[in-house]
Amino acid sequence: MREMFYSEFVEVYEKLYGTSKRLEKEAILAEFLNKLEKKGDSEWIYLLRGKVFPDYDEREFGISGQLVIKTIASAFGIKEEQILSMYREIGDLGEIAEEFSGKKRQAKLFGGRLTVSKVFGNLRKIVDIEGKGAVGKKVELIAELLGIAESGEAKYIVRTLLSDLRVGVADGILRDALASAFFEDRVEVKELIGRAYDICNDFAEVFEAAKKGRKELEKIEIVPGKPMNVMLAVKVDDIGEAFEACGKPAAIEHKYDGFRVMISKKKEEIKLFTRRLENVTKQFPDVVEAVKKNVKGESFILDSEVVGFNPGTKKYLPFEAISQRIKRKYDIDKLKKELPVEVNVFDVIYYNGKNLMSSPFRERRKILERIVKNAELKIRSARQIITDSEDKAMEFYQEALKIGEEGIMVKNLDAPYQQGRRVGFMVKLKPVANDFDLVIVGAEYGSGKRAGWLTSYIVACRDNDKLLEIGKVSSGLKEKSPADRKSAGPEIPHKISGKEGTSYDEMTKLLKILIKEEEGKIVKVKPEIVVSVTYQNIQKSPSYSSGYALRFPRITRYRPDRSVKDIASLSEIEREVGKRGRKR
Ligand code: ATP
């Protein structure tokens, strides 16, 4: 059996922690991957990003900070209060475990050394344990590891369990490191590795292929049943720019205001994945049913936008109104009736055993129209016209806005389906240009009527793998929670009017479980909650790490369907600043 000591991982974690330079991180990882190839299992690569499963696998350790405190207390015979007060000061349970583990060193001299397979094995068991007595069993498995761990090892075991490794290995760096570890011609192979990763979202699979060479990487193919990264759009300011990007004639479709769902079917089994690769099949039995009844084919992958509508008036509702269906795991039948949805299918990527990604969009659309039977308010092919006329396109745009859509998508008829990057094969035109999706990285408790709630939020954009703060936003959310609103008025149609967004109370609940550090009224949180923020202007500002500040920002939506990967990049923000400069 292949074996490595966990201390070898700790060594690489420390090296990565020691630099913020991307190229240095890449070199450290590349060297380590060569070692891992010889001595370890491919799956151990997940540990480099603090995981034990591929990125698309949503299973979690289910370990709270509180539980770790309990475990450290019992593993090292210390009072919980002492750990808690240290935590308030240091803000990192990993470091606390490190300290106590160091002190206990003497007692452990006769223990064995911690192997990677032991750590990996226990971590996986921790994820899989469910049901009665699960917490106790999880604690035992952690305590067993902490009992053998040297100090640095204890630190990283705890950080891994809390999904807060703090060594800064984003997926982009690991992809590039795989290219440098195994290939001479890195630039070209980086593309290939990027493609393979977009398809499978599994570093172990890409690692396994990269070890064997380019041919194996090329063999990684999309398969129904597994989530995949989607194609993204470029934003344009007017219809002329849209045609410039996509050529004439182009396909023009409504930009539905819902959330993106990849629908896949394999051997009678239908699965639904969001853009963050979450499996939402259970939450949307109505979508599964609509697909079963109205889409022909033994196997396929469809790209679609699922939109909510008011069951009374049949009018489309904005995304916010149905967003709660994405996370909800109970009362599904009730929600299905209260917040029904329509599936708008706009692409087909795989059909009956054939990968269609390299076929031109016009061909894919033909197949789509052939296989999707339109069923009113259940499922349909996205409304589309093909035109080279700016007037016709503008007419279509106005129509879309009139019925409450966000705008239009303009698509290049000859383009392949290109995952991930914004390459301009499809562009979006919306009236409100000034909004960005950003992630909340910190927050502040309110006072007076808002005491107890986190009411102002520090938001960040990204620059490759770094998060950069770009402003503080405190307006846009509602004062009351839906429960209060419900008792205050009729449930329907009031409740689903769509005008009611997320409340401060709800946002506080979402953020509280993500708190990393707390000082006075200010907290730092794990960057997981993505919000759409509108603003009036962007200014240069030394107050935030991005170098910019949004003026008069306002949260328009909480986006549970987006992850930190989807937020605005610094270059998008700079582009916007540039455009605004030119317009003035
Ligand atoms: P936005 O915040 O503007 O929705 P985004 O960052 O979510 O943008 P983009 O790829 O930039 O995603 O914009 C296109 C999005 O619009 C898609 O992700 C999809 O969810 C949605 N959409 C709605 N209707 C369509 C359509 N007909 N074709 C493609 N995408 C559509």
Side-chain angles (χ1 to χ4, degrees):
M1 201 175 103
R2 289 167 173 247
E3 201 43 280
M4 273 174 95
F5 290 114
Y6 187 58
S7 56
E8 296 175 75
F9 266 86
V10 171
E11 201 180 305
V12 80
Y13 289 145
E14 289 290 342
K15 279 193 199 159
L16 291 164
Y17 179 75
T19 175
S20 55
K21 293 201 180 89
R22 191 188 160 102
L23 283 178
E24 283 178 18
K25 282 188 192 272
E26 188 183 315
I28 295 165
L29 285 166
E31 191 190 336
F32 183 73
L33 289 170
N34 275 309
K35 191 156 135 189
L36 191 59
E37 183 209 359
K38 292 183 194 85
K39 295 171 66 179
D41 275 2
S42 293
E43 285 189 321
W44 296 348
I45 193 172
Y46 303 138
L47 287 174
L48 288 172
R49 299 182 66 233
K51 298 178 177 227
V52 287
F53 290 109
D55 280 1
Y56 64 81
D57 195 316
E58 304 135 43
R59 284 176 285 173
E60 289 177 347
F61 295 116
I63 303 287
S64 63
Q66 201 54 45
L67 194 63
V68 169
I69 291 177
K70 267 201 168 66
T71 316
I72 296 177
S74 76
F76 301 115
I78 299 149
K79 285 213 168 75
E80 282 179 37
E81 292 82 70
Q82 189 188 342
I83 302 172
L84 203 61
S85 77
M86 285 173 77
Y87 177 58
R88 284 203 195 100
E89 211 170 289
I90 304 174
D92 178 8
L93 287 170
E95 267 182 45
I96 296 170
E98 177 177 32
E99 193 174 323
F100 288 123
S101 184
K103 286 188 185 147
K104 276 265 162 171
R105 214 175 125 65
Q106 290 298 331
K108 284 192 305 208
L109 276 180
F110 298 104
R113 278 181 73 186
L114 202 50
T115 60
V116 182
S117 55
K118 180 75 195 159
V119 175
F120 194 77
N122 276 26
L123 289 174
R124 276 213 164 158
K125 280 188 208 151
I126 288 168
V127 173
D128 285 335
I129 293 174
E130 277 178 4
K132 226 176 127 205
V135 174
K137 285 181 202 146
K138 285 183 191 220
V139 168
E140 265 171 41
L141 289 162
I142 304 170
E144 187 193 4
L145 294 179
L146 292 183
I148 317 171
E150 299 281 324
S151 49
E153 295 172 336
K155 171 162 86 178
Y156 285 102
I157 288 167
V158 165
R159 285 187 178 175
T160 302
L161 285 166
L162 292 171
S163 307
D164 191 16
L165 204 56
R166 305 187 185 195
V167 297
V169 178
D171 58 350
I173 301 186
L174 194 50
R175 290 179 201 200
D176 289 352
L178 279 164
S180 351
F182 303 113
F183 299 91
E184 290 294 316
D185 184 3
R186 292 184 211 169
V187 180
E188 212 182 293
V189 176
K190 275 182 185 174
E191 285 277 307
L192 197 56
I193 287 184
R195 187 202 75 100
Y197 182 75
D198 274 340
I199 286 172
C200 67
N201 282 290
D202 183 346
F203 273 116
E205 194 174 336
V206 179
F207 182 29
E208 199 52 37
K211 285 194 258 183
K212 294 181 189 142
R214 199 183 269 256
K215 279 227 165 65
E216 289 299 311
L217 281 171
E218 279 162 5
K219 273 194 210 154
I220 294 182
E221 273 294 347
I222 50 168
V223 278
K226 271 172 82 175
M228 58 180 272
N229 287 341
V230 298
M231 173 156 78
L232 297 172
V234 172
K235 192 163 89 183
V236 293
D237 288 334
D238 56 51
I239 198 69
E241 206 185 319
F243 277 117
E244 230 166 77
C246 299
K248 280 185 178 177
I252 306 186
E253 295 173 5
H254 283 189
K255 184 176 191 311
Y256 298 96
D257 187 11
F259 70 102
R260 192 136 178 199
V261 173
M262 299 293 272
I263 302 167
S264 100
K265 180 179 173 187
K266 183 175 138 195
K267 291 192 192 142
E268 294 311 310
E269 191 183 10
I270 290 167
K271 286 190 188 166
L272 311 174
F273 298 103
T274 67
R275 170 175 154 171
R276 3 178 352 175
L277 318 176
E278 272 173 306
N279 186 335
V280 288
T281 316
K282 283 208 183 82
Q283 289 93 306
F284 291 93
D286 40 347
V287 172
V288 171
E289 197 52 32
V291 173
K292 235 181 220 160
K293 279 199 182 138
N294 300 294
V295 187
K296 279 194 283 195
E298 281 175 8
S299 61
F300 49 73
I301 302 175
L302 308 175
D303 201 351
S304 77
E305 186 85 354
V306 169
V307 195
F309 63 88
N310 181 318
T313 63
K314 312 280 188 258
K315 283 218 169 97
Y316 283 144
L317 293 170
F319 166 77
E320 185 75 41
I322 55 151
S323 64
Q324 48 176 308
R325 283 199 61 182
I326 301 175
K327 295 256 166 205
R328 192 71 91 74
K329 304 249 159 81
Y330 55 93
D331 275 351
I332 299 213
D333 281 337
K334 184 164 164 255
L335 272 191
K336 193 171 87 177
K337 287 191 199 101
E338 282 178 9
L339 304 172
V341 293
E342 179 192 71
V343 187
N344 290 275
V345 187
F346 56 76
D347 218 324
V348 51
I349 297 145
Y350 182 97
Y351 187 64
N352 282 355
K354 190 164 179 241
N355 180 349
L356 301 173
M357 279 166 73
S358 51
S359 310
F361 180 53
R362 69 174 87 236
E363 299 292 326
R364 303 201 303 275
R365 174 77 193 191
K366 265 189 212 145
I367 297 173
L368 183 70
E369 285 175 9
R370 218 180 58 225
I371 66 175
V372 177
K373 189 171 102 205
N374 291 349
E376 213 193 332
L377 290 175
K378 292 211 161 20
I379 189 167
R380 52 165 302 138
S381 329
R383 281 189 185 80
Q384 187 192 75
I385 58 166
I386 293 178
T387 183
D388 57 5
S389 145
E390 291 194 9
D391 288 345
K392 283 230 173 76
M394 280 314 282
E395 218 175 279
F396 192 73
Y397 176 58
Q398 296 304 343
E399 259 171 45
L401 294 182
K402 211 152 86 199
I403 61 165
E405 306 296 12
E406 272 195 308
I408 50 172
M409 304 295 303
V410 179
K411 301 182 178 182
N412 182 330
L413 285 161
D414 298 315
Y417 189 95
Q418 167 102 48
Q419 292 171 281
R421 270 142 301 158
R422 298 182 188 269
V423 282
F425 293 155
M426 69 174 188
V427 301
K428 57 183 172 185
L429 180 62
K430 303 196 281 188
V432 196
N434 54 347
D435 82 325
F436 285 122
D437 284 349
L438 301 166
V439 72
I440 298 180
V441 291
E444 196 175 330
Y445 282 102
S447 51
K449 243 176 41 189
R450 294 177 172 183
W453 288 339
L454 289 163
T455 51
S456 75
Y457 314 101
I458 303 284
V459 285
C461 61
R462 69 185 165 78
D463 183 19
N464 288 316
D465 310 314
K466 267 195 271 163
L467 293 178
L468 301 174
E469 293 174 0
I470 188 168
K472 192 172 183 180
V473 47
S474 41
S475 58
L477 300 190
K478 310 287 180 240
E479 299 285 338
K480 285 188 176 151
S481 70
D484 299 336
R485 293 196 293 257
K486 201 156 67 182
S487 56
E491 212 170 303
I492 293 178
H494 185 77
K495 187 175 163 216
I496 51 165
S497 68
K499 292 198 183 80
E500 302 186 20
T502 307
S503 66
Y504 288 107
D505 184 33
E506 287 164 318
M507 187 55 88
T508 303
K509 284 189 189 125
L510 290 168
L511 291 174
K512 267 197 168 165
I513 48 173
L514 300 173
I515 292 178
K516 291 199 297 196
E517 284 172 43
E518 197 156 355
E519 211 187 316
K521 287 176 116 185
I522 299 180
V523 300
K524 282 192 184 157
V525 295
K526 278 195 220 166
E528 284 185 18
I529 303 296
V530 175
V531 285
S532 300
V533 179
T534 58
Y535 55 88
Q536 275 186 10
N537 208 345
I538 312 171
Q539 279 182 339
K540 283 216 152 134
S541 163
S543 314
Y544 297 106
S545 48
S546 63
Y548 296 100
L550 299 179
R551 297 269 296 145
F552 304 111
R554 185 180 173 81
I555 294 180
T556 50
R557 287 156 178 211
Y558 158 46
R559 304 275 349 192
D561 58 329
R562 308 262 153 105
S563 70
V564 79
K565 274 195 211 159
D566 301 316
I567 64 172
S569 64
L570 185 63
S571 55
E572 280 169 63
I573 283 155
E574 281 170 345
R575 210 178 312 137
E576 197 56 43
V577 173
K579 270 190 202 163
R580 285 166 177 260
R582 278 199 304 280
K583 274 181 202 155
R584 240 178 265 129

